Amino acid sequence: MPAELREHAGRHYAVQFHYALPDDAWCVELSEAAPAPAAWAEIPDAETHLPGAAFLVAVVPDEDPDLEPTVGIRSPDEHVIPYEIMRWFLERSPTRSRAAVPGSRRETPKQWNDLQMAGVITAS
């Protein structure tokens, strides 16, 4: 799954994107990122942190234009999410996918940024 990493106040966070076939929806997940294995330190361009278990999940319906996006909490633990990290997460969670419009094609998460810039999909 594609992931973006960000540090804030000494903590690392990850946003991951994937398509959930049973839901016909894109999912955007927020998690704390954990340090990568020490053995990776010698690998050029290796990630320094890896996504952990998601505690927030935005579900963006892709097939039915009448369904609204939702954000769910997926953690029994309490998490305090800094405002800047919440904004970062929501900016990556589109409120509508053009693929939900009949006759349009499904896009991948890597294309979302370009599509947002072009006004094809909108973000929160």
Side-chain angles (χ1 to χ4, degrees), residues 8-14 30-33 55-56 73 75-89:
H8 179 79
R11 297 182 87 153
H12 293 81
Y13 297 88
L30 177 65
S31 66
E32 285 197 52
F55 52 82
L56 276 182
I73 300 168
S75 174
D77 301 329
E78 182 176 318
H79 289 275
V80 175
I81 304 168
Y83 178 76
E84 286 300 316
I85 296 300
M86 182 60 83
R87 277 190 53 209
W88 175 62
F89 169 71

Side-chain angles (χ1 to χ4, degrees), residues 4 17 23 31 33 36 39 50 56 67 69 80-81 83 88 105 112 120 124:
E4 294 180 27
F17 309 91
D23 299 323
S31 66
L50 300 173
L56 276 182
L67 294 177
V80 175
I81 304 168
Y83 178 76
W88 175 62
R105 65 186 187 93
W112 280 356
V120 175
S124 301

